Amino acid sequence: EDSNYNTNKIDIIIMGFSMSYISVKNNRDQIMKQLFNACKTGGIIVIFEYDKNKRAQNRSNKVQDEEQTPLTSNDEYSSIDIPGYEREDDIKEYVESFGFQYEETISDKFEGTLADQWILSFKKPKSSDY
């Protein structure tokens, strides 16, 4: 389905913690195609996503640090399906497959505050680049 945005009109797109919640891959692919088309040449897309493994570890540590009895055992707690990606490279490869070029991992510049998430920036290349 076509979006209401004109092609090559948006300078910056920010996607926050949404890709891992879009369950049907075809819908996610369609959204990424529309975002690529709507983004200006040289425009930026910034994607915030959770690191599934670190998020699970942080949840487990929080329960232990608070010295509370969890509603489930640690084994059960760690098996709860946590949205996110296993690897940063999975996000890079997926976004790049639509034509965006990886620029940098912004979250690497922050210590501690973003321990369970990635913030990645990508650029829409010039036509001759893709």
Side-chain angles (χ1 to χ4, degrees):
E1 180 174 323
D2 291 332
S3 69
N4 294 328
Y5 296 105
N6 293 326
T7 302
N8 296 315
K9 296 290 182 187
I10 299 176
D11 292 310
I12 187 164
I13 299 167
I14 299 174
M15 256 181 110
F17 310 108
S18 54
M19 288 198 318
S20 57
Y21 288 100
I22 302 170
S23 59
V24 179
K25 186 177 184 314
N26 290 335
N27 288 339
R28 188 178 352 176
D29 289 353
Q30 186 64 30
I31 290 167
M32 290 303 298
K33 288 176 189 174
Q34 289 178 0
L35 291 174
F36 185 82
N37 288 334
C39 190
K40 279 185 177 179
T41 300
I44 302 292
I45 182 168
V46 178
I47 298 178
F48 293 70
E49 277 299 331
Y50 289 112
D51 177 334
K52 188 173 187 168
N53 297 322
K54 286 184 182 176
R55 195 165 185 220
Q57 182 62 43
N58 288 346
R59 282 184 175 186
S60 178
N61 289 346
K62 184 177 180 181
V63 169
Q64 291 171 5
D65 290 346
E66 292 174 358
E67 297 181 357
Q68 296 177 356
T69 304
L71 295 175
T72 59
S73 73
N74 284 339
D75 290 338
E76 290 175 293
Y77 189 76
S78 63
S79 68
I80 294 172
D81 187 28
I82 296 172
Y85 285 82
E86 298 282 336
R87 302 175 324 122
E88 180 180 347
D89 285 343
D90 294 338
I91 301 168
K92 289 179 187 176
E93 291 167 13
Y94 180 72
V95 176
E96 287 177 328
S97 74
F98 294 93
F100 289 104
Q101 290 180 341
Y102 170 75
E103 290 286 304
E104 68 176 317
T105 302
I106 299 166
S107 52
D108 286 348
K109 297 177 182 181
F110 301 94
E111 291 184 27
T113 57
L114 303 172
D116 64 352
Q117 55 194 271
W118 292 296
I119 305 172
L120 307 169
S121 69
F122 299 83
K123 187 175 187 176
K124 182 175 180 178
K126 297 176 186 171
S127 314
S128 61
D129 293 345
Y130 62 95

